[in-house]
Amino acid sequence: MTVLPLVFDAPRRGLPPRHLADLTSAERAAAVVELGEKPFRAKQLSNHYFSRLTVDPEAMTDIPAESRQRLVDELMPPLLTEVRAMACDDGSTRKTLWRAHDRTLIETVLMRYPDRATLCISSQAGCGMACPFCATGQGGLERNLSTAEIVDQVRSAAAVMRDGLMADSTGVPTPGRLSNIVFMGMGEPLANYKRVVAAVRRITEPAPDGLGISQRSVTVSTVGLAPAIRKLADEKMQVRLAVSLHTPDDELRDTLVPVNNRWSVDEVLSAARYYADTSGRRVSIEYALIRDINDQPWRAQLLAKVLKKHLGHLVHVNVIPLNPTPGSKWDAAPKPVEREFVRLVNAGGVPCTVRDTRGQEIAAACGQLAAEG
């Protein structure tokens, strides 16, 4: 396990100043003109940020020396400073704690597999959904992240992969490519809707306008904000929707996922069906399996029944062994219980697998590293 030292920023509050990644290509051109530069400078800056993955003015040799620093200062202000990076799984998992300009903390987890590299990113500092088994939810919401703060998490990880700072499946650090993005870090993405959608567009637009990652390789997770799910469907994107359901019955879900008091299981799954029909993509159902809470055989059977009713074949269940947080009363279901739960969901006609879990030794459950400071 590798741990990098703590770094501290000057304290400030609120969203960061305007950044290149907050802007569309047309808005970038207008911004550089405001600064007295020719419009094509915007494309040069975009190429450095999105293609070359750099914010270093000294590397921008195609821009006149007298303009570089001012353009970077105005359109690439510092967003995230690495506070601590921890590696495990023979170097193929890397969790990073970031400090924003106002000292808020967020987390990312980069996981390298033989066939892909997936980055789990945050959309908020903290989370306001108050799910009792989630470390982030118990910490509360500090603020939304800006579009650029979300995008910069991805740019930084893409640079880590390119520069060979992550180990491959043999444990040897080698260059690679960031291929998949999941909005499953800190925060509820659909509670920061406008900025998250803008970030998805920056992440997926072809270079130099964006990072060029396929929309089909991006997953947006939600605890079930039904109206926002429908709104996301109407964006006509090809991202995958993941719904953190955690139980098929309203009685328990009202407790485990308090937003269920506003939008019931039926309402959430009806919105998910609308998303599946509109996008043509299967919906992922996330189910954190918690010992003696939601791991009963009858709940597995009910889960399959409810999902078949609402989503038919357009669904897949990811069972997630709970990554317990220190001092929490919540614990993972025993492996035999987990295996029986998965078997029953599959027997009910719904594909169900156990998600690969990584990083328990580096506090990889969302919010744990930030809680430790």
Side-chain angles (χ1 to χ4, degrees):
M1 180 173 67
T2 305
V3 181
L4 300 185
L6 292 174
V7 179
F8 295 98
D9 287 341
R12 290 170 58 193
R13 275 293 165 199
L15 287 172
R18 177 184 66 171
H19 189 282
L20 184 84
D22 290 313
L23 308 176
T24 65
S25 56
E27 289 168 341
R28 293 172 205 165
V32 298
V33 169
E34 286 175 13
L35 296 172
E37 299 285 345
K38 298 292 185 183
F40 69 84
R41 295 281 179 232
K43 188 169 185 178
Q44 290 176 311
L45 286 173
S46 297
N47 187 57
H48 287 293
Y49 184 82
F50 289 108
S51 298
R52 298 183 180 177
L53 308 176
T54 185
V55 293
D56 178 8
E58 295 302 316
M60 302 178 187
T61 54
D62 56 341
I63 298 174
E66 64 271 16
S67 298
R68 290 175 206 161
Q69 190 64 57
R70 186 165 71 100
L71 285 170
V72 168
D73 289 345
E74 292 290 336
L75 291 174
M76 294 182 186
L79 295 175
L80 303 173
T81 300
E82 187 176 282
V83 175
R84 182 184 299 134
M86 306 178 75
C88 71
D89 301 319
D90 295 324
S92 63
T93 299
R94 175 187 178 101
K95 181 161 187 174
T96 306
L97 179 66
W98 302 95
R99 191 183 303 281
H101 72 286
D102 60 353
R103 301 184 65 83
T104 54
L105 299 173
I106 65 170
E107 301 171 2
T108 59
V109 181
L110 180 58
M111 297 159 284
R112 188 170 186 175
Y113 301 90
D115 60 340
R116 68 192 188 281
T118 298
L119 178 69
C120 180
I121 62 176
S122 297
S123 56
Q124 298 177 310
C127 182
M129 297 297 107
C131 299
F133 57 89
C134 172
T136 306
Q138 290 308 291
L141 175 65
E142 292 191 60
R143 67 169 173 87
N144 288 326
L145 299 185
S146 70
T147 295
E149 285 175 313
I150 297 170
V151 174
D152 209 48
Q153 297 171 56
V154 182
R155 181 197 64 85
S156 298
V160 165
M161 289 297 301
R162 179 201 62 193
D163 295 342
L165 302 179
M166 285 283 289
D168 61 17
S169 57
T170 67
V172 178
T174 55
R177 185 180 71 87
L178 180 64
S179 58
N180 294 70
I181 307 299
V182 293
F183 282 79
M184 294 182 181
M186 299 176 73
E188 162 55 54
L190 298 189
N192 188 16
Y193 184 88
K194 183 178 178 180
R195 296 183 186 94
V196 164
V197 169
V200 170
R201 296 199 187 281
R202 302 293 176 279
I203 291 165
T204 60
E205 284 168 338
D209 292 327
L211 290 163
I213 293 173
S214 169
Q215 285 190 2
R216 296 182 69 85
S217 298
V218 176
T219 298
V220 176
S221 178
T222 177
V223 295
L225 280 61
I229 292 173
R230 292 179 179 274
K231 188 177 180 181
L232 185 65
D234 292 336
E235 300 283 350
K236 306 297 184 184
M237 296 193 295
Q238 281 290 296
V239 301
R240 170 162 288 180
L241 176 71
V243 177
S244 297
L245 198 66
H246 303 314
T247 187
D249 55 305
D250 285 320
E251 183 178 6
L252 179 58
R253 197 166 193 269
D254 285 348
T255 301
L256 289 183
V257 187
V259 76
N260 198 73
N261 288 279
R262 292 190 65 184
W263 298 292
S264 67
V265 169
D266 278 352
E267 290 174 287
V268 171
L269 293 181
S270 292
R273 179 56 189 252
Y274 178 72
Y275 188 90
D277 288 341
T278 303
S279 66
R281 302 214 63 193
R282 265 192 329 179
V283 172
S284 292
I285 297 296
E286 310 297 304
Y287 199 106
L289 208 59
I290 308 170
R291 181 193 295 262
D292 300 329
I293 300 294
N294 65 350
D295 60 353
Q296 299 85 356
W298 70 266
R299 280 201 165 91
Q301 293 167 327
L302 179 60
L303 177 65
K305 181 180 178 181
V306 168
L307 294 180
K308 286 279 283 186
K309 171 188 170 185
H310 284 282
L311 288 159
H313 67 284
L314 296 171
V315 65
H316 178 272
V317 176
N318 284 315
V319 166
I320 306 165
L322 187 73
N323 196 347
T325 57
S328 172
K329 69 175 183 178
W330 311 92
D331 199 3
K335 287 299 177 183
V337 173
E338 176 188 283
R339 287 192 290 270
E340 178 64 4
F341 192 94
V342 170
R343 186 191 72 78
L344 288 170
V345 176
N346 278 302
V350 174
C352 179
T353 54
V354 178
R355 173 178 290 169
D356 173 45
T357 56
R358 290 203 183 190
Q360 291 199 6
E361 67 183 89
I362 56 170
C366 292
Q368 285 185 245
L369 207 57
E372 294 170 5

